[in-house]
């Protein structure tokens, strides 16, 4: 079974506790199975990229003792995304959307996932200056998450036809991620904030005739007022000079039993962690991040 894992940070800012949880979970899950682990920089949104964030992220991962088998960037893979869009267009599954954000906000129903696009522009030919939306089917997408069990999402109720290429020509995250995860990744381990998006990614993989990896979604680390920690909302960055207490906090956050001896350094931590990692112990609900690990 292919259990190749990956950690896929967006270079929008420094890593924080929630990123560490995702990195640690995907790393120990892959390594405990003797599988490869890759770092993919999700850098296809230049306007949102923070200067220096790529270097800062890799630096932090190094300080925390992560060892990756390969490092790659989405910005080097754009011809694959173009090919995927061409396939969808050839199959007449794409259309151009000229709706403004304001019009969508004013006319469209909201769901937990955001706006449910009602298909207003169906039938419009996709053009370079229009957003491209993919036509979704009536059938729900179903998958079994290795932490949270059976998941079922009706895209018609959750998102409607969703954007795969933005009006500014940039590729949508779900398109790039669906293509990349189908390319050699066996198991995607990441935060449960992406659980609903998984349905969109699986849907795209099916339309494109691509394989679908296994999924395991980890609890989201919540801040003091119950908000998701994120780079955009200014979550406290990880401290590079003090990896061990933060690694231990992420380990405990993921419901893992305490390690027998307090490890002396990250290398010792990883040796024990990889031996003792138990995906079945991972909590199925989101949780408050510990205060200042
Ligand atoms: N790069 C995205 C993020 O940081 C997606 C991560 C993923 O798919 O694991 O939220
Ligand atoms: Zn439209």
């Amino acid at each position: 079974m292919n259990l190749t894992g990956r950690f896929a940070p967006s270079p929008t800012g420094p890593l924080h506790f929630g990123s560490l949880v995702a990195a640690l979970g995907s790393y120990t899950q892959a390594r405990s199975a003797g599988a490869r682990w890759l770092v993919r920089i999700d850098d296809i949104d230049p306007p949102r990229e923070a200067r220096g964030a790529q270097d800062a992220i890799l630096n932090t991962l190094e300080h925390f003792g992560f060892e990756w088998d390969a490092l790659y960037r989405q910005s080097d893979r754009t011809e694959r995304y173009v090919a995927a869009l061409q396939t969808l267009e050839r199959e007449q599954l794409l259309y151009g959307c000229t709706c403004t954000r304001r019009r969508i906000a004013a006319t469209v129903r909201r769901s937990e996932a955001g706006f449910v696009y009602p298909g207003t522009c169906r039938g419009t030919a996709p053009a370079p200056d229009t957003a491209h939306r993919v036509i979704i089917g009536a059938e729900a997408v179903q998958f079994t998450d290795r932490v949270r069990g059976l998941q079922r999402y009706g895209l018609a109720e959750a998102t409607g036809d969703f954007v795969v290429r933005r009006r500014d020509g940039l590729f949508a995250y779900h398109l790039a991620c669906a293509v990349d995860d189908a390319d050699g990744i066996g198991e995607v381990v990441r935060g449960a904030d992406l659980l609903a998006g998984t349905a969109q990614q699986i849907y795209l993989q099916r339309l494109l005739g691509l394989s679908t990896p296994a999924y395991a979604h980890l609890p989201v680390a919540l801040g003091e007022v119950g908000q998701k920690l994120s780079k955009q909302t200014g979550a406290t960055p990880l401290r590079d000079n003090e990896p061990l207490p933060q690694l231990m906090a992420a380990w405990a956050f993921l419901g893992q039993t305490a390690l027998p001896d307090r490890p002396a350094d990250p290398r010792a931590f990883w040796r024990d962690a990889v031996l003792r990692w138990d995906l079945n112990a991972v909590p199925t609900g989101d949780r408050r991040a510990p205060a200042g690990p």
Side-chain angles (χ1 to χ4, degrees):
M1 202 178 6
N2 172 19
L3 289 172
T4 301
R6 87 321 185 253
F7 175 56
S10 302
T12 50
L15 299 181
H16 52 76
F17 185 76
S19 333
L20 180 60
V21 166
L24 186 153
S26 63
Y27 190 69
T28 46
Q29 176 67 4
R31 293 304 195 212
S32 63
R36 282 158 53 78
W37 185 75
L38 318 177
V39 172
R40 184 183 83 212
I41 305 282
D42 284 358
D43 60 345
I44 42 159
D45 194 348
R48 284 187 53 221
E49 181 152 351
R51 189 197 289 242
Q54 293 206 21
D55 286 345
I57 287 169
L58 295 175
N59 231 323
T60 299
L61 291 175
E62 259 173 38
H63 276 92
F64 280 69
F66 289 95
E67 293 176 0
W68 46 92
D69 296 294
L71 168 70
Y72 61 121
R73 291 183 172 75
Q74 287 193 322
S75 58
D76 291 329
R77 299 171 55 84
T78 52
E79 69 284 358
R80 290 175 172 80
Y81 313 143
V82 171
L85 288 175
Q86 284 168 344
T87 302
L88 296 175
E89 186 166 2
R90 205 169 47 238
E91 309 275 333
Q92 300 192 320
L93 291 162
L94 279 194
Y95 61 91
C97 171
T98 53
C99 299
T100 58
R101 228 174 242 276
R102 194 182 302 164
R103 171 153 161 218
I104 291 178
T107 60
V108 160
R109 196 163 58 76
R110 284 203 75 111
S111 75
E112 264 171 53
F115 294 114
V116 186
Y117 185 74
T120 322
C121 295
R122 273 195 191 187
T124 309
D129 62 344
T130 62
H132 294 16
R133 289 185 183 271
V134 65
I135 296 179
I136 54 113
E139 223 174 283
V141 176
Q142 213 166 287
F143 62 97
T144 302
D145 185 82
R146 287 189 174 167
V147 173
R148 299 200 177 199
L150 185 65
Q151 306 291 316
R152 222 181 115 81
Y153 286 93
L155 294 179
E157 297 83 58
T159 63
D161 301 337
F162 59 90
V163 171
V164 287
R165 199 207 74 140
R166 291 164 20 180
R167 180 194 305 267
D168 57 11
L170 295 177
F171 305 100
Y173 154 70
H174 290 306
L175 179 86
C177 188
V179 168
D180 288 343
D181 287 338
D183 190 10
I185 302 300
E187 187 171 39
V188 170
V189 180
R190 60 183 174 193
D193 49 313
L194 291 160
L195 195 53
T198 300
Q200 287 162 272
Q201 293 168 20
I202 292 175
Y203 180 69
L204 288 174
Q205 286 161 346
R206 290 184 188 157
L207 291 185
L208 292 164
L210 300 173
S211 60
T212 288
Y215 291 93
H217 284 89
L218 306 173
V220 176
L222 304 174
E224 267 157 40
V225 293
Q227 84 284 18
K228 174 196 158 209
L229 297 184
S230 80
K231 297 172 189 135
Q232 290 90 312
T233 54
T236 315
L238 296 173
R239 300 181 307 281
D240 287 354
N241 55 356
E242 233 183 337
L244 213 48
Q246 299 169 90
L247 285 169
M248 305 279 277
W251 180 254
F253 181 88
L254 286 172
Q256 306 297 303
T257 48
L259 301 174
D261 304 307
R262 221 185 139 70
D265 53 27
R267 183 184 291 265
F269 169 84
W270 288 120
R271 209 174 36 231
D272 292 347
V274 164
L275 285 174
R276 285 166 191 276
W277 170 252
D278 179 10
L279 187 66
N280 294 318
V282 172
T284 53
D286 298 341
R287 343 176 57 190
R288 189 72 63 83

